[in-house]
Amino acid sequence: MKSAAPTAQKARTPLGLPAEWFWDVNPARLNPDKHAAQIIERVLVVGAMEGWRAIRRHYGDEKLSAVVTGLRSLSPQNVALLCLALNLKKEDFRCCTAKPFPQAPWHY
């Protein structure tokens, strides 16, 4: 009787995150230090606890705080999570304090 073929391993990024989370780039070419903001933002968008643990372990709270407070768009749920986890305030986030573009002077 033949043994069953081993199951194929899913492709992973250098941080061990699932490659399918990074469908718009080549996951093997992601540099965790150079592409930190892109990786952190994608993990927050995907919303998986596995990813959160990986980025927190790799980057640490100080680096995470520096990156997430500068992101342009985060969901209210992500802001709430990050405030609790990293001891931040809503006012610390660029996405919460940036002024929107002024209204155009013409109307259609």
Side-chain angles (χ1 to χ4, degrees):
M1 182 178 207
K2 293 183 179 181
S3 63
T7 58
Q9 291 289 327
K10 287 188 175 185
R12 306 298 261 183
T13 65
L15 288 181
L17 302 170
E20 54 270 7
W21 291 2
F22 301 91
W23 63 88
D24 55 344
V25 297
N26 181 351
R29 300 189 83 188
L30 283 173
N31 180 321
D33 298 319
K34 184 178 177 184
H35 303 111
Q38 182 181 6
I39 293 170
I40 292 168
E41 186 172 20
R42 187 59 56 90
V43 168
L44 291 172
V45 169
V46 171
M49 192 56 99
E50 166 195 3
W52 171 252
R53 287 187 193 112
I55 61 171
R56 196 167 189 190
R57 184 174 44 252
H58 180 79
Y59 294 112
D61 289 353
E62 188 175 327
K63 173 76 173 182
L64 275 175
S65 295
V67 171
V68 299
T69 55
L71 295 175
R72 292 177 187 234
S73 63
L74 288 172
S75 71
Q77 294 86 356
N78 280 331
V79 171
L81 167 74
L82 294 165
C83 284
L84 288 172
L86 302 174
N87 197 26
L88 297 170
K89 297 177 190 156
K90 184 178 176 181
E91 297 80 30
D92 295 333
F93 291 86
R94 177 182 183 183
C95 62
C96 296
T97 59
K99 294 182 181 181
F101 288 113
Q103 185 173 1
W106 58 87
H107 300 280
Y108 293 101

